Amino acid sequence: MTKNNIFKGLLPILLAAVIVSCKDSYVQPDFTKVSPIVELPVASLAGNGGGNSMSASFSIQSAPTDYFIYVNYAAPDANPSDVGVSLAVDTATLGKFNRTNGSNYPLLPAADYSLSNSITIPAGQRKVEYHIKFNTSLIDPSATYALPLKIVNASGATVSSNFGSLTLLIGVKNIYDGTYTIKGQITRNSATGPDTNLGGFLKSGLTTKVGTLTATSSPFSQYWRDGSATGGIDGLFLTVNPATNAVTIASTGNATLKNTPGYNSRYDPATKTFYLAFDWGTAPSTRIVVDTLVYKGQ
């Protein structure tokens, strides 16, 4: 038998010996000795050391809005008995988050939410829902607030060092908030007649952002025919009467802007569409707008 044939015959035996040797020398971890950890899980760990966060945005409602996060029991086996978990709103967590991220989120006022300081993970379960109620009608829509939560006790179980706290970033918006396609016609009158350069039917493809001022008022933008921004009407906004869906248009920067008489400016909740007509200025330099805004999405 040649040397090559001898080597080929021995090779499978040598590989098997190496595999068995490696398997025998590798110590399998004993997960039964891992201490249970209680945590506030998020999709991914913040890598900058400032603490984990989640963002939530709510529509402004008269009744409190229910929201929940999970409290998790992380262990090889389910908990053999009930685990009581204590949580607290922790300003130190928020301070660290703001310093690390260069942010300045204010603490959500206590009147704007309600929560329990404790929750129980029943025996045999790994996670439970921790509910928070937000009083969205009280939250200022012009700001984003923070609600920093921290696990302070877990009935003897270890509180996670990476997932033991969570900063919720809270914002509110009204039900009209979103991006809308805008179609319509704008007239720009002057002493010499209508301006056909800036006036006329709006170019296709335009959109406008309808934002949130209050539960019923929203800012939006108007354009000239060519899609350029219309000047002289800073602070343009609309207000919806929730009982009738009638819409009033006004401008904080132009007191002459008003609803055009004879036109039913309104909101159609079924199609999420605004039908608007408004004008401003004094003759002969008047401006007249007839718009249709159709909800497109956020």
Side-chain angles (χ1 to χ4, degrees):
M1 183 181 291
T2 65
K3 291 183 179 180
N4 286 338
N5 288 336
I6 293 172
F7 179 76
K8 289 179 180 179
L10 290 175
L11 182 58
I13 299 173
L14 291 173
L15 289 174
V18 170
I19 292 171
V20 171
S21 175
C22 290
K23 181 178 180 181
D24 290 342
S25 63
Y26 179 73
V27 179
Q28 296 288 334
D30 185 2
F31 289 107
T32 64
K33 296 181 180 179
V34 176
S35 299
I37 293 175
V38 176
E39 60 185 4
L40 303 174
V42 293
S44 60
L45 174 68
N48 61 2
N52 302 317
S53 66
M54 291 173 58
S55 296
S57 180
F58 306 100
S59 294
I60 300 173
Q61 305 287 345
S62 57
T65 298
D66 189 58
Y67 179 79
F68 71 86
I69 60 175
Y70 285 112
V71 178
N72 189 53
Y73 179 89
D77 299 311
N79 50 315
S81 59
D82 290 354
V83 177
V85 181
S86 299
L87 298 97
V89 175
D90 185 59
T91 55
T93 293
L94 176 56
K96 181 180 179 181
F97 181 84
N98 277 333
R99 288 192 303 273
T100 304
N101 293 283
S103 54
N104 191 32
Y105 292 109
L107 180 67
L108 184 67
D112 295 358
Y113 66 92
S114 61
L115 50 76
S116 173
N117 290 326
S118 63
I119 192 170
T120 298
I121 305 175
Q125 288 188 219
R126 293 186 180 275
K127 66 180 179 180
V128 291
E129 296 177 355
Y130 178 68
H131 287 256
I132 307 166
K133 289 188 180 295
F134 291 101
N135 300 316
T136 56
S137 62
L138 301 180
I139 299 175
D140 181 358
S142 66
T144 299
Y145 290 92
L147 182 61
L149 301 172
K150 181 179 181 179
I151 298 175
V152 294
N153 187 278
S155 300
T158 301
V159 177
S160 173
S161 57
N162 289 326
F163 296 94
S165 62
L166 177 64
T167 299
L168 294 175
L169 302 178
I170 306 300
V172 295
K173 58 187 178 182
N174 64 32
I175 61 174
Y176 313 106
D177 192 293
T179 299
Y180 291 71
T181 60
I182 178 171
K183 298 179 180 179
Q185 184 176 13
I186 184 168
T187 302
R188 186 176 189 269
N189 291 316
S190 68
T192 58
D195 179 351
T196 57
N197 290 321
L198 294 177
F201 288 100
L202 301 181
K203 64 180 289 188
S204 62
L206 294 177
T207 61
T208 185
K209 171 65 178 178
V210 174
T212 295
L213 292 174
T214 68
T216 58
S217 295
S218 298
F220 70 104
S221 298
Q222 180 60 47
Y223 304 102
W224 295 116
R225 177 191 63 80
D226 61 0
S228 59
T230 304
I233 52 172
D234 293 343
L236 181 65
F237 69 98
L238 56 84
T239 301
V240 181
N241 182 328
T244 64
N245 288 314
V247 175
T248 302
I249 307 100
S251 166
T252 59
N254 192 325
T256 68
L257 191 143
K258 65 185 188 308
N259 285 36
T260 299
Y263 186 94
N264 179 24
S265 290
R266 64 199 185 278
Y267 175 70
D268 181 357
T271 60
K272 294 185 176 181
T273 301
F274 285 99
Y275 299 94
L276 309 176
F278 55 99
D279 56 72
W280 69 95
T282 55
S285 301
T286 54
R287 315 289 188 254
I288 305 169
V289 171
V290 180
D291 279 342
T292 300
L293 279 57
V294 181
Y295 181 80
K296 183 178 180 183
Q298 288 297 320

